[in-house]
Amino acid sequence: MNNPFRRHRKSSASDNDPFDIPENYYGELTDPAKADKNSRLGRVRTFSVFEFKPRNNFLDELASFHPETIKESPSGSSSGEQSQSPTPVPMQVSWSITNQEEGNTVLPRRQSIVPLYAASDSQIGSEESISLSNSKPSAGHKFHYRRASVDDSFSRPKKFYIPDIKQTLKELLDNEDTDHNCQITIEDTGPKVLRLGTANSGGFNQAAIRGTYMLSNLLQELTIAQSFGRDQMILDEERLNENPVARMKRLISTQFWKSLTRCLTKDNAYEMSKDTKMRDEFIDEHGEIQSVESHRIYIPYNRADQFEYYSSFKKENPTINLDVAYLPKKIDAEFIKSINKKPGLLALATSTDPITGEVINQPYIVPGGRFNELYGWDSYMETIGLLTDVEPGKNLNHLALARGMTENFIYEIYHYGKILNANRSYYLGRSQPPFLTDMALRVFNKTNEVFPDKYDDTLDFLKRATIAAIKEYKTVWCCEPRLDPETGLSCYHPDGIGIPPETEPSHFNSVLKPYVEKYGLPQDEFIELYNSGEIKEPDLDEYFLHDRAVRESGHDTSYRLEGKCAHLATVDLNSLLYKYENDIAFILATFFSNKLQIDEDDFEVSQNWLEKATIRRLNVDKYLWNGDDSMYYDYNVKTKQQSKYESATTFWPLWSKLSTQQQADKMVQNTLPKLEEFGGLAAGTESSRGEINLNRPSRQWDYPYGWAPQQILAWIGLTNYDYHGIARRLAYRWLYMMTRAFVDYNGVVVEKYNVTKGAVAHRVDAEYGNQGLDFKGVATEGFGWVNSSYLLGLTYMNLQSIRALGTLTPPDVFLRNTNPVQRAQFE
């Protein structure tokens, strides 16, 4: 549905946009210290140009004028001109009278600068008037003014002049940040008011900024301005009291995506290759183990062009300790283990510009600000959000990012054998949930929409993506060890030997403790001997097999998967593979005449893929669907039983259109109430999770937490089966929770939320914490797939629900107070 906040309307007659992108809004042309008559700031005209004197004094002064033409003196300059001096000086407006024509008084109009009649802190009653006639005023004569002009004067937003950003920030934080975390939230106990000088008075006259939301926005704006090197600024009031839905959408689209964008080039390879989790280890000449900061980039064995490209930087900078190394043709678990102490970043897609000969590197979005790697299913979810605002001639950089991530996935399949968990050497053995076909189709369709003249290139892109997806399907997901031949279903079952090296040293303390005690060794020494195979512990092998599988599933961690993941034919994975089968059949039939040449003697036909989809649906119904419980469960291929953990993944078959309409109806009627919470869908039910205590801590992919991917796939899935109202209701719950946290907690957008009623949504008491909280002053990235969920969620909203979100109307209040016709749109 249409989103009324897609564009902001300028509310002044000036030529500057109060919601312009940061590079413009905080750029040189708006710097008061550099403003001149040629700058944009120097030409600003608003209805608030005059600072208003108290009403009585103003009327007395006006009544003393002679009936001659009124002229504004040069001191009544524009806001930009006044702002050149950092010292607050009140604007003086003087008037001279000239008789133009006997008996006539004329008030000439000068663009949008008009006399306004108001007090600085009090307002004139609408009944009072000043009458201006064509005859000379006499004693007691009333001057009439238009009511509309007065109303306009009060509704027009102000501009504030901040002559010293650093000092204003200090004052703001000293007064309002009572818990000293460099944020202003509802938990701070300050006075919640700060007075700022107005731009038109050069900062002399002041107006109050009140409340947590406006003050936290002020903190954000000042912090951003300072990051642009600004010492002073003109700040629009509109940015401080901006509708929170519009502000959140604007920040995601214009700032968050930009902050999360990465592109691996030879010039930044040294910094990006730095590993924050691991260090290089080596034995020095004295036989002692040493460790140093790791800077390494691995290149596929057959990409000499990339090896030369990245090595050229090392040659140009011989003092830089960057190691550029080839990978072997065969990459297996033994090799991955052998380079555990030589970690490195894996190269991504590059090509050569046929005209300039320059290397083209494909950009991508990372999940959060602390990452530099391309992640698997995060990238698909981010692509959905990126494409929501791409139109012909608008936000084409977002399309380039979506295309870049897809190109990188194609590259990974060809050179590393799979779409990786992330492009680091220790992830070479494991993938993540597969979404490539739907991702490629979304990029293909959007590219055709905005660049119809580039169809040949776009079709070639779709062809390469489809061939890569077929390769991934056959060599990763539908062969051993991931394929279970008895059920015909697939499991998460990655390669790997030993303990995952990228985890924190203390992460497995409780798991390793019995073995450390058994052998009487220090933990580090036990790990060394176990990883090398000198110590054999089959039970420990089994534990780490499932641990790696949980990480491959993307749902790390959850009691749903713990200790058994590699043996589970999960509903989520098999729903995705069903989507692959149908997407590939559709692509072959629609664009390649039912037949696509893969290799010289290898052709793929659509009918084969439709048959694969039919067989998978039958197997899912047989092993995963539980008609009595109206739910899809995972199936344990070892115990040959359903694992009855109630999870939001039960809705993934709706996204892939695997379910029948009758199955969808049952899930909506019987299963949805178990998982729907105040803030959207919980990852699972409380009863399935079980008791939480010191020996059984909370897991982040369990109740009471909700995740953006679960919301996104459920919204799309419910819409596929004509449950538009329920999708809209769930989206409203999620968006409200995000918006509430954004308003109350200084613009926070985090990785996951507690979706239960009464919770502080962004406070998560589970392993790994909550990404997106570690900022001072202003949140600059949010979190990738959560940003995406907000943009997508808004497309489900109608005008009524968007207005309710903007006023922070809780879901239950909103739904309870709509009339029956409106309520039906959420049922």
Side-chain angles (χ1 to χ4, degrees), residues 656-725:
S656 64
K657 298 183 181 179
L658 185 153
S659 300
T660 65
Q661 186 64 52
Q662 291 74 21
Q663 288 170 325
D665 294 342
K666 281 190 169 185
M667 281 197 289
V668 168
Q669 181 179 355
N670 301 322
T671 303
L672 181 62
K674 296 179 181 180
L675 292 160
E676 182 175 358
E677 297 287 344
F678 177 81
L681 289 175
T685 63
E686 185 176 15
S687 59
S688 288
R689 181 204 64 185
E691 182 183 357
I692 297 299
N693 53 47
L694 290 176
N695 297 319
R696 196 172 184 272
S698 182
R699 298 293 189 225
Q700 64 176 3
W701 279 91
D702 291 335
Y703 177 92
Y705 308 122
W707 290 76
Q710 307 288 35
Q711 319 303 318
I712 290 172
L713 298 184
W715 300 340
I716 297 172
L718 288 163
T719 303
N720 286 340
Y721 289 82
D722 292 325
Y723 286 104
H724 301 274

Coordinates of all heavy atoms in Angstrom, one line a residue, residues 656-725:
S656 N 6.9 -20.2 1.0 CA 7.3 -20.9 -0.2 C 6.1 -21.5 -0.9 O 6.3 -22.2 -2.0 CB 8.3 -22.1 0.2 OG 7.6 -23.0 1.0
K657 N 4.9 -21.3 -0.4 CA 3.7 -21.8 -1.0 C 3.7 -23.4 -1.1 O 3.1 -24.0 -2.0 CB 3.5 -21.3 -2.4 CG 3.3 -19.7 -2.5 CD 3.1 -19.2 -3.9 CE 3.0 -17.7 -3.9 NZ 2.7 -17.2 -5.3
L658 N 4.3 -24.0 -0.1 CA 4.3 -25.4 0.0 C 3.0 -25.9 0.6 O 2.5 -27.0 0.3 CB 5.5 -25.9 0.9 CG 5.8 -27.3 1.0 CD1 7.3 -27.6 1.3 CD2 5.0 -28.0 2.2
S659 N 2.4 -25.2 1.5 CA 1.1 -25.6 2.2 C -0.1 -25.6 1.2 O -0.1 -24.8 0.3 CB 0.8 -24.7 3.4 OG 1.9 -24.7 4.3
T660 N -1.1 -26.4 1.6 CA -2.4 -26.3 0.9 C -3.1 -25.2 1.6 O -2.8 -24.7 2.7 CB -3.1 -27.6 1.0 OG1 -3.4 -27.8 2.4 CG2 -2.3 -28.8 0.5
Q661 N -4.2 -24.7 1.0 CA -5.1 -23.7 1.6 C -5.6 -24.2 3.0 O -5.7 -23.5 3.9 CB -6.2 -23.3 0.7 CG -7.0 -22.1 1.2 CD -6.2 -20.8 1.3 OE1 -5.6 -20.4 0.4 NE2 -6.3 -20.2 2.5
Q662 N -6.0 -25.5 3.0 CA -6.6 -26.1 4.2 C -5.5 -26.1 5.4 O -5.8 -25.8 6.5 CB -7.0 -27.5 4.0 CG -8.3 -27.6 3.1 CD -7.9 -27.3 1.6 OE1 -6.8 -27.5 1.2 NE2 -8.9 -27.0 0.8
Q663 N -4.3 -26.4 5.0 CA -3.2 -26.4 6.1 C -3.0 -24.9 6.6 O -2.8 -24.7 7.8 CB -1.9 -26.9 5.5 CG -2.0 -28.4 5.3 CD -0.8 -29.0 4.5 OE1 -0.3 -28.3 3.6 NE2 -0.3 -30.2 4.8
A664 N -3.0 -24.0 5.6 CA -2.8 -22.6 6.0 C -4.0 -22.1 6.9 O -3.7 -21.4 7.9 CB -2.8 -21.7 4.8
D665 N -5.2 -22.5 6.6 CA -6.3 -22.1 7.4 C -6.2 -22.7 8.8 O -6.5 -22.0 9.8 CB -7.6 -22.7 6.8 CG -7.9 -22.0 5.4 OD1 -7.4 -21.0 5.2 OD2 -8.7 -22.6 4.7
K666 N -5.8 -23.9 8.9 CA -5.6 -24.5 10.3 C -4.5 -23.8 11.1 O -4.7 -23.6 12.3 CB -5.2 -26.0 10.1 CG -6.4 -26.9 9.8 CD -6.0 -28.4 9.9 CE -7.2 -29.3 9.9 NZ -6.8 -30.7 10.1
M667 N -3.4 -23.5 10.4 CA -2.3 -22.8 11.2 C -2.8 -21.4 11.6 O -2.5 -21.0 12.8 CB -1.1 -22.7 10.3 CG -0.3 -23.9 10.2 SD 1.4 -23.7 9.6 CE 1.0 -23.3 7.9
V668 N -3.5 -20.7 10.8 CA -4.0 -19.4 11.2 C -5.0 -19.5 12.4 O -5.0 -18.7 13.3 CB -4.7 -18.7 10.0 CG1 -5.4 -17.4 10.5 CG2 -3.6 -18.3 9.0
Q669 N -5.8 -20.5 12.3 CA -6.8 -20.7 13.4 C -6.3 -21.2 14.7 O -6.6 -20.7 15.8 CB -7.9 -21.6 12.9 CG -9.1 -21.8 13.9 CD -10.2 -22.8 13.3 OE1 -10.1 -23.2 12.2 NE2 -11.1 -23.1 14.2
N670 N -5.3 -22.2 14.6 CA -4.9 -22.9 15.8 C -3.5 -22.6 16.2 O -3.2 -22.7 17.4 CB -5.1 -24.4 15.6 CG -6.5 -24.8 15.2 OD1 -7.4 -24.3 15.8 ND2 -6.6 -25.7 14.3
T671 N -2.6 -22.3 15.3 CA -1.2 -22.1 15.6 C -0.8 -20.7 15.9 O 0.0 -20.3 16.8 CB -0.3 -22.7 14.5 OG1 -0.7 -24.1 14.4 CG2 1.2 -22.6 14.9
L672 N -1.4 -19.8 15.1 CA -1.0 -18.4 15.2 C -1.2 -17.8 16.6 O -0.4 -17.1 17.1 CB -1.8 -17.5 14.1 CG -1.5 -16.0 14.1 CD1 0.0 -15.7 13.8 CD2 -2.4 -15.3 13.2
P673 N -2.4 -18.1 17.3 CA -2.5 -17.6 18.6 C -1.5 -18.0 19.6 O -1.2 -17.3 20.6 CB -3.9 -18.2 19.0 CG -4.6 -18.5 17.7 CD -3.5 -18.9 16.8
K674 N -0.8 -19.1 19.4 CA 0.3 -19.6 20.3 C 1.5 -18.7 20.1 O 2.3 -18.6 21.1 CB 0.6 -21.1 20.0 CG -0.5 -22.1 20.2 CD 0.0 -23.5 19.9 CE -1.1 -24.5 20.1 NZ -0.6 -25.9 19.8
L675 N 1.7 -18.1 18.9 CA 3.0 -17.5 18.7 C 2.8 -15.9 18.6 O 3.8 -15.2 18.6 CB 3.6 -18.0 17.4 CG 4.1 -19.4 17.4 CD1 4.2 -20.1 16.1 CD2 5.4 -19.5 18.2
E676 N 1.6 -15.5 18.4 CA 1.4 -14.0 18.3 C 1.5 -13.4 19.6 O 0.8 -13.7 20.6 CB 0.1 -13.7 17.6 CG -0.2 -12.2 17.4 CD -1.5 -11.9 16.7 OE1 -2.2 -12.9 16.3 OE2 -1.8 -10.7 16.5
E677 N 2.4 -12.4 19.8 CA 2.6 -11.7 21.0 C 2.3 -10.2 20.8 O 2.0 -9.8 19.6 CB 4.0 -11.9 21.5 CG 4.3 -13.3 21.9 CD 3.7 -13.8 23.2 OE1 3.2 -12.9 23.9 OE2 3.6 -15.0 23.4
F678 N 2.5 -9.4 21.8 CA 2.2 -8.0 21.7 C 3.0 -7.3 20.6 O 2.5 -6.4 19.9 CB 2.6 -7.3 23.1 CG 2.4 -5.8 23.1 CD1 1.2 -5.3 23.3 CD2 3.5 -5.0 23.0 CE1 1.0 -3.9 23.4 CE2 3.4 -3.6 23.0 CZ 2.1 -3.1 23.2
G679 N 4.3 -7.7 20.4 CA 5.1 -7.0 19.5 C 5.4 -7.8 18.2 O 6.3 -7.5 17.5
G680 N 4.5 -8.8 17.9 CA 4.7 -9.6 16.7 C 4.9 -11.1 17.0 O 4.4 -11.6 18.1
L681 N 5.5 -11.8 16.2 CA 5.7 -13.3 16.4 C 6.9 -13.5 17.2 O 8.0 -13.0 17.0 CB 5.9 -14.0 15.0 CG 4.7 -14.1 14.1 CD1 5.1 -14.7 12.8 CD2 3.6 -14.9 14.7
A682 N 6.7 -14.4 18.3 CA 7.8 -14.9 19.0 C 8.5 -16.0 18.2 O 7.9 -16.7 17.4 CB 7.4 -15.4 20.4
A683 N 9.8 -16.2 18.5 CA 10.5 -17.3 17.7 C 10.0 -18.6 18.1 O 10.1 -19.6 17.3 CB 12.0 -17.2 18.1
G684 N 9.4 -18.8 19.3 CA 8.9 -20.1 19.7 C 7.9 -19.9 20.9 O 7.8 -18.7 21.3
T685 N 7.3 -20.9 21.3 CA 6.4 -20.8 22.5 C 7.2 -21.0 23.8 O 8.2 -21.7 23.8 CB 5.3 -21.8 22.4 OG1 5.8 -23.1 22.5 CG2 4.5 -21.6 21.1
E686 N 6.6 -20.5 24.9 CA 7.2 -20.6 26.2 C 7.2 -22.1 26.6 O 8.2 -22.6 27.2 CB 6.5 -19.7 27.2 CG 7.2 -19.7 28.6 CD 6.5 -18.7 29.5 OE1 5.4 -18.3 29.2 OE2 7.1 -18.4 30.5
S687 N 6.1 -22.8 26.3 CA 6.0 -24.1 26.8 C 7.0 -25.0 26.1 O 7.6 -26.0 26.7 CB 4.6 -24.7 26.5 OG 4.3 -24.6 25.1
S688 N 7.3 -24.8 24.8 CA 8.4 -25.6 24.1 C 9.8 -25.2 24.6 O 10.6 -26.1 24.7 CB 8.3 -25.3 22.6 OG 7.2 -25.9 22.0
R689 N 10.0 -24.0 24.9 CA 11.3 -23.6 25.4 C 11.6 -24.3 26.7 O 12.7 -24.7 27.0 CB 11.4 -22.1 25.6 CG 12.7 -21.6 26.0 CD 12.6 -20.2 26.7 NE 11.8 -20.3 27.9 CZ 11.5 -19.2 28.6 NH1 11.8 -18.0 28.2 NH2 10.7 -19.4 29.7
G690 N 10.6 -24.3 27.6 CA 10.8 -24.9 28.9 C 11.4 -23.9 30.0 O 11.5 -22.7 29.7
E691 N 11.7 -24.4 31.1 CA 12.1 -23.6 32.2 C 13.5 -23.0 32.0 O 14.4 -23.7 31.4 CB 12.1 -24.4 33.5 CG 12.5 -23.6 34.8 CD 12.6 -24.5 36.0 OE1 12.3 -25.7 35.9 OE2 13.0 -24.0 37.1
I692 N 13.7 -21.8 32.4 CA 15.0 -21.1 32.3 C 15.6 -21.0 33.7 O 14.9 -20.5 34.7 CB 14.9 -19.7 31.7 CG1 14.4 -19.9 30.2 CG2 16.2 -19.0 31.7 CD1 15.4 -20.7 29.3
N693 N 16.8 -21.4 33.9 CA 17.5 -21.3 35.3 C 19.0 -21.1 35.1 O 19.5 -21.0 33.9 CB 17.1 -22.4 36.2 CG 17.4 -23.8 35.5 OD1 18.5 -24.0 34.9 ND2 16.5 -24.7 35.5
L694 N 19.7 -21.1 36.1 CA 21.2 -20.9 36.0 C 21.8 -22.0 35.2 O 22.8 -21.8 34.5 CB 21.8 -20.9 37.5 CG 21.4 -19.7 38.3 CD1 22.0 -19.8 39.7 CD2 22.0 -18.4 37.7
N695 N 21.3 -23.2 35.3 CA 21.9 -24.3 34.5 C 21.3 -24.4 33.1 O 21.8 -25.2 32.3 CB 21.7 -25.6 35.3 CG 22.4 -25.6 36.6 OD1 23.6 -25.1 36.7 ND2 21.8 -26.1 37.6
R696 N 20.3 -23.7 32.9 CA 19.6 -23.7 31.5 C 19.3 -22.3 31.1 O 18.1 -21.9 31.2 CB 18.3 -24.6 31.6 CG 17.8 -25.0 30.3 CD 16.7 -26.0 30.4 NE 16.2 -26.6 29.2 CZ 15.3 -26.0 28.4 NH1 14.7 -24.8 28.8 NH2 14.9 -26.5 27.3
P697 N 20.3 -21.6 30.6 CA 20.1 -20.2 30.3 C 19.2 -19.9 29.1 O 18.9 -20.8 28.3 CB 21.5 -19.7 30.1 CG 22.2 -20.9 29.6 CD 21.6 -22.0 30.3
S698 N 18.8 -18.7 29.0 CA 18.0 -18.2 27.9 C 18.8 -18.3 26.5 O 20.0 -18.1 26.5 CB 17.5 -16.8 28.1 OG 16.7 -16.4 27.0
R699 N 18.1 -18.7 25.5 CA 18.6 -18.8 24.1 C 18.0 -17.7 23.3 O 16.8 -17.6 23.3 CB 18.4 -20.2 23.5 CG 19.1 -21.3 24.3 CD 20.6 -21.2 24.2 NE 21.3 -22.4 24.8 CZ 22.3 -22.3 25.6 NH1 22.8 -21.2 26.0 NH2 22.9 -23.4 26.0
Q700 N 18.8 -17.1 22.4 CA 18.3 -15.9 21.7 C 17.2 -16.2 20.6 O 16.5 -15.3 20.2 CB 19.4 -15.1 21.1 CG 20.3 -15.8 20.1 CD 21.3 -14.9 19.5 OE1 21.5 -13.8 19.9 NE2 22.1 -15.4 18.5
W701 N 17.2 -17.5 20.1 CA 16.2 -17.8 19.1 C 15.0 -18.5 19.7 O 14.3 -19.3 19.0 CB 16.8 -18.6 18.0 CG 17.6 -17.8 17.0 CD1 18.9 -17.4 17.0 CD2 17.0 -17.1 15.8 NE1 19.2 -16.6 15.9 CE2 18.1 -16.4 15.2 CE3 15.8 -17.1 15.2 CZ2 17.9 -15.7 14.0 CZ3 15.6 -16.4 14.0 CH2 16.7 -15.7 13.5
D702 N 14.8 -18.3 21.0 CA 13.6 -18.9 21.7 C 12.7 -17.8 22.2 O 13.0 -16.6 22.2 CB 14.1 -19.8 22.8 CG 14.8 -21.0 22.3 OD1 14.5 -21.5 21.2 OD2 15.6 -21.6 23.1
Y703 N 11.6 -18.2 22.8 CA 10.7 -17.3 23.5 C 11.5 -16.6 24.6 O 12.4 -17.2 25.2 CB 9.6 -18.1 24.1 CG 8.6 -17.3 25.0 CD1 7.5 -16.8 24.4 CD2 8.8 -17.1 26.3 CE1 6.6 -16.0 25.1 CE2 7.9 -16.4 27.1 CZ 6.8 -15.8 26.5 OH 5.9 -15.1 27.2
P704 N 11.3 -15.3 24.9 CA 10.3 -14.4 24.4 C 10.8 -13.5 23.2 O 10.2 -12.4 23.0 CB 10.0 -13.5 25.6 CG 11.3 -13.4 26.3 CD 12.1 -14.7 26.0
Y705 N 11.8 -13.9 22.5 CA 12.4 -13.0 21.5 C 11.8 -13.2 20.1 O 11.4 -14.3 19.7 CB 13.9 -13.2 21.5 CG 14.5 -13.2 22.8 CD1 15.2 -14.2 23.4 CD2 14.3 -12.0 23.6 CE1 15.8 -14.2 24.7 CE2 14.8 -12.0 24.9 CZ 15.6 -13.0 25.4 OH 16.1 -13.0 26.7
G706 N 11.8 -12.1 19.4 CA 11.3 -12.1 18.0 C 12.4 -11.5 17.1 O 13.2 -10.7 17.5
W707 N 12.4 -12.1 15.9 CA 13.4 -11.8 14.9 C 12.8 -11.3 13.6 O 11.8 -11.8 13.2 CB 14.3 -13.0 14.7 CG 15.2 -13.4 15.8 CD1 14.8 -14.0 17.0 CD2 16.6 -13.1 15.9 NE1 15.9 -14.2 17.8 CE2 17.0 -13.7 17.2 CE3 17.5 -12.6 15.1 CZ2 18.3 -13.6 17.6 CZ3 18.9 -12.5 15.5 CH2 19.2 -13.0 16.8
A708 N 13.5 -10.4 13.0 CA 13.0 -9.8 11.7 C 12.7 -10.9 10.6 O 11.7 -10.8 10.0 CB 13.9 -8.7 11.2
P709 N 13.6 -11.8 10.4 CA 13.3 -12.8 9.3 C 12.0 -13.6 9.6 O 11.3 -13.9 8.6 CB 14.5 -13.8 9.4 CG 15.6 -13.0 10.0 CD 14.9 -12.1 11.0
Q710 N 11.7 -13.9 10.8 CA 10.5 -14.6 11.1 C 9.3 -13.8 10.8 O 8.3 -14.3 10.3 CB 10.4 -15.1 12.6 CG 11.7 -15.8 13.1 CD 11.7 -17.3 12.5 OE1 11.3 -17.5 11.4 NE2 12.2 -18.2 13.3
Q711 N 9.4 -12.5 11.1 CA 8.2 -11.6 10.8 C 8.1 -11.4 9.2 O 7.0 -11.6 8.7 CB 8.5 -10.2 11.4 CG 9.1 -10.1 12.8 CD 8.3 -10.9 13.8 OE1 7.0 -10.8 13.8 NE2 9.0 -11.6 14.7
I712 N 9.2 -11.2 8.6 CA 9.2 -10.9 7.1 C 8.5 -12.1 6.4 O 7.6 -12.0 5.5 CB 10.6 -10.6 6.6 CG1 11.0 -9.3 7.1 CG2 10.6 -10.7 5.1 CD1 12.5 -9.0 6.8
L713 N 9.0 -13.3 6.7 CA 8.6 -14.5 5.9 C 7.1 -14.8 6.3 O 6.3 -15.3 5.4 CB 9.4 -15.7 6.2 CG 10.9 -15.5 5.8 CD1 11.7 -16.8 6.0 CD2 11.0 -15.1 4.3
A714 N 6.7 -14.5 7.5 CA 5.3 -14.8 7.9 C 4.4 -13.8 7.2 O 3.3 -14.2 6.7 CB 5.1 -14.7 9.4
W715 N 4.8 -12.5 7.1 CA 3.9 -11.5 6.4 C 3.7 -11.9 5.0 O 2.6 -11.9 4.5 CB 4.6 -10.1 6.4 CG 4.8 -9.6 7.8 CD1 4.3 -9.9 9.0 CD2 5.8 -8.5 8.1 NE1 4.8 -9.2 10.0 CE2 5.7 -8.3 9.5 CE3 6.7 -7.8 7.4 CZ2 6.5 -7.4 10.1 CZ3 7.5 -6.8 8.0 CH2 7.4 -6.6 9.4
I716 N 4.8 -12.3 4.3 CA 4.7 -12.7 2.9 C 3.9 -13.9 2.8 O 3.0 -14.1 1.9 CB 6.1 -12.8 2.3 CG1 6.9 -11.5 2.3 CG2 6.0 -13.4 0.9 CD1 8.4 -11.6 1.9
G717 N 4.1 -14.9 3.6 CA 3.4 -16.2 3.6 C 1.9 -16.0 3.8 O 1.1 -16.6 3.1
L718 N 1.5 -15.3 4.8 CA 0.1 -15.1 5.0 C -0.6 -14.4 3.9 O -1.7 -14.7 3.5 CB -0.1 -14.3 6.3 CG 0.3 -15.0 7.6 CD1 0.5 -14.1 8.8 CD2 -0.8 -16.0 8.0
T719 N 0.2 -13.4 3.3 CA -0.4 -12.7 2.1 C -0.6 -13.7 0.9 O -1.5 -13.6 0.2 CB 0.5 -11.6 1.7 OG1 0.7 -10.7 2.8 CG2 -0.1 -10.8 0.5
N720 N 0.3 -14.6 0.8 CA 0.2 -15.6 -0.3 C -1.1 -16.4 -0.2 O -1.6 -16.9 -1.2 CB 1.4 -16.6 -0.2 CG 2.7 -16.0 -0.7 OD1 2.7 -15.1 -1.4 ND2 3.8 -16.7 -0.3
Y721 N -1.6 -16.6 1.0 CA -2.9 -17.3 1.2 C -4.1 -16.4 1.6 O -5.0 -16.9 2.2 CB -2.6 -18.4 2.3 CG -1.7 -19.5 1.9 CD1 -0.3 -19.3 1.9 CD2 -2.2 -20.7 1.3 CE1 0.5 -20.3 1.4 CE2 -1.4 -21.7 0.9 CZ 0.0 -21.5 0.9 OH 0.9 -22.5 0.5
D722 N -4.0 -15.2 1.1 CA -5.1 -14.2 1.3 C -5.4 -13.8 2.7 O -6.5 -13.3 3.0 CB -6.3 -14.7 0.6 CG -6.2 -14.8 -1.0 OD1 -5.4 -13.9 -1.5 OD2 -6.7 -15.7 -1.6
Y723 N -4.5 -14.0 3.6 CA -4.6 -13.5 5.0 C -4.0 -12.1 5.1 O -3.1 -11.9 5.9 CB -4.1 -14.5 6.0 CG -4.9 -15.7 6.1 CD1 -4.6 -16.9 5.6 CD2 -6.1 -15.6 6.9 CE1 -5.4 -18.0 5.7 CE2 -6.9 -16.7 7.0 CZ -6.6 -17.9 6.5 OH -7.4 -19.0 6.6
H724 N -4.4 -11.2 4.3 CA -3.8 -9.8 4.2 C -4.0 -9.1 5.5 O -3.1 -8.4 6.0 CB -4.4 -9.0 3.1 CG -4.2 -9.6 1.7 ND1 -3.1 -9.5 0.9 CD2 -5.1 -10.5 1.0 CE1 -3.2 -10.1 -0.2 NE2 -4.4 -10.8 -0.2
G725 N -5.2 -9.2 6.1 CA -5.4 -8.5 7.3 C -4.6 -8.9 8.5 O -4.1 -8.1 9.3

